[in-house]
Amino acid sequence: VQLQASGGGLAQAGGSRRLSCTASARTFTNAAVGWFRQAPGNEREFVAAINWKGSTTYYADSVKGRFTISRDNAKKAVYLQMNSLKSEDTAVYYCAAVDQGGITLAQAMGVMPRSGSWGQGTLVTVSS
């Protein structure tokens, strides 16, 4: 599955931004999708994840209550709505997908870093 992340840019602290992750393959509709981010000098970290039908979501504690992940399988897209942005949200954001194939979202997230398909990343810069 080829993924394309978009929607990055400059935002002010307290503002909002919506990222999109779109796919080229119909198999995307069977895939768990995760958002990850990597700030300069830091390791990549998990942000949010959603299962194939959109009924289960996970969030990192640092974004819980501020970010919302959703998906539209008809459009083969997953979104990350980011509100109340903070300077520490500045990072390159990546989306990744892995076929759930009967496994739980938690299991899918376990294999995603090694076995998932990854997009190219989109930079979000939050100015304070």
Side-chain angles (χ1 to χ4, degrees), residues 20-33:
S20 298
C21 176
T22 54
S24 57
R26 278 181 292 180
T27 52
F28 184 74
T29 60
N30 299 321
V33 177

Side-chain angles (χ1 to χ4, degrees), residues 22-97:
T22 54
S24 57
R26 278 181 292 180
T27 52
F28 184 74
T29 60
N30 299 321
V33 177
W35 283 100
F36 298 79
R37 67 186 181 187
Q38 187 167 19
N42 290 0
E43 293 186 352
R44 186 177 62 196
E45 64 175 2
F46 166 75
V47 176
I50 191 166
N51 71 337
W52 69 275
K53 57 183 178 179
S55 58
T56 302
T57 57
Y58 294 151
Y59 296 95
D61 287 343
S62 58
V63 306
K64 206 171 290 184
R66 300 188 298 121
F67 290 10
T68 302
I69 189 171
S70 62
R71 68 188 300 158
D72 184 338
N73 282 342
K75 295 182 179 179
K76 296 190 295 244
V78 169
Y79 307 103
L80 185 68
Q81 178 66 43
M82 306 185 295
N83 298 330
S84 302
L85 284 164
K86 304 176 181 179
S87 57
E88 51 262 44
D89 294 320
T90 295
V92 177
Y93 284 73
Y94 300 88
C95 59

Side-chain angles (χ1 to χ4, degrees), residues 1 3 21 23 28 31-34 36 95-99 112 115-119:
V1 177
L3 303 177
C21 176
F28 184 74
V33 177
F36 298 79
C95 59
V98 66
D99 184 18
M112 189 173 290
S115 304
S117 299
W118 288 80

